[in-house]
């Protein structure tokens, strides 16, 4: 019921699949307080468009006249994209949009799945959730979620988006919206139903 309120546009199938994946994996990553859950789910909300979109829009990558799909990431050595076609093959996938051969290799190793050979496996709810949680752990984002100040939420945004503040206000708004759903209280201490 809470997940339906948090992700109102998600299909029942996505709600069921991610509810199972979240419940199974949150404890292993110490996503154990309402603040941590709210901050994590708010970022999942933004990155996956409310659990409705699990791949970056390919239309965004015709970045120059006559450009080919994947141009935005093609040849980007900092992402580990060194083979022709890596830009398109390793475009963002999953609930936090894992991007680049280097990240697919790294996080595939962390979750025990060969994502470099089978990048589409990053789309499976269990794998997608584990990838997001591994990234969350690697960046120590629980420590910022515990604070929930503007500065802490901005830091989470920047660490997920490579120092950009992309979607900061929306991430902040969703964090507090989700916190209200989880606790039944508004930020000012009133009950959410009053």
């Amino acid at each position: 019921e809470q997940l339906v309120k948090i992700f109102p546009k998600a299909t029942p199938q996505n709600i069921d699949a991610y509810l199972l994946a979240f419940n199974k994996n949150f404890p292993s990553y110490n996503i154990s307080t309402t603040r941590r859950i709210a901050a994590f789910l708010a970022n999942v909300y933004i990155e996956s468009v409310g659990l409705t979109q699990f791949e970056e829009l390919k239309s965004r990558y015709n970045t120059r006249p006559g450009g080919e799909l994947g141009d935005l990431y093609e040849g980007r050595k900092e992402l580990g994209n060194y083979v022709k076609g890596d830009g398109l093959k390793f475009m963002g996938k999953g609930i936090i949009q894992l991007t680049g051969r280097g990240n697919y290799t790294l996080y595939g190793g962390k979750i025990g799945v060969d994502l470099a050979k089978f990048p589409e496996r990053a789309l499976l709810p269990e794998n997608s959730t584990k990838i997001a949680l591994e990234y969350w752990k690697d960046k120590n984002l629980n420590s910022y979620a515990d604070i929930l100040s503007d500065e802490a939420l901005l830091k989470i945004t920047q660490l997920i988006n490579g120092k950009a503040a992309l979607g900061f206000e929306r991430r902040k708004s969703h964090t507090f919206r989700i916190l209200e759903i989880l606790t039944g209280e508004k930020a000012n201490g009133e009950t959410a139903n009053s």
Side-chain angles (χ1 to χ4, degrees), residues 3 10-25 51 54 95 123-129:
L3 216 57
T11 65
Q13 296 85 353
N14 285 341
I15 292 289
D16 289 345
Y18 280 96
L19 178 63
L20 181 64
F22 294 156
N23 284 337
K24 178 180 175 185
N25 293 292
L51 285 184
F54 304 98
I95 59 174
L123 294 168
L124 298 173
E126 175 75 8
N127 294 341
S128 180
T129 297

Side-chain angles (χ1 to χ4, degrees), residues 78-94:
E78 76 278 12
L79 294 173
N81 289 344
Y82 56 86
V83 176
K84 184 167 176 47
D86 277 357
L88 180 59
K89 184 176 182 179
F90 298 107
M91 283 187 358
K93 291 180 182 61

Side-chain angles (χ1 to χ4, degrees), residues 73-87 89-90 99-106 116:
Y73 297 131
E74 193 64 34
R76 298 258 311 264
K77 305 287 189 234
E78 76 278 12
L79 294 173
N81 289 344
Y82 56 86
V83 176
K84 184 167 176 47
D86 277 357
K89 184 176 182 179
F90 298 107
T99 305
R101 177 185 287 274
N103 284 323
Y104 277 75
T105 302
L106 174 66

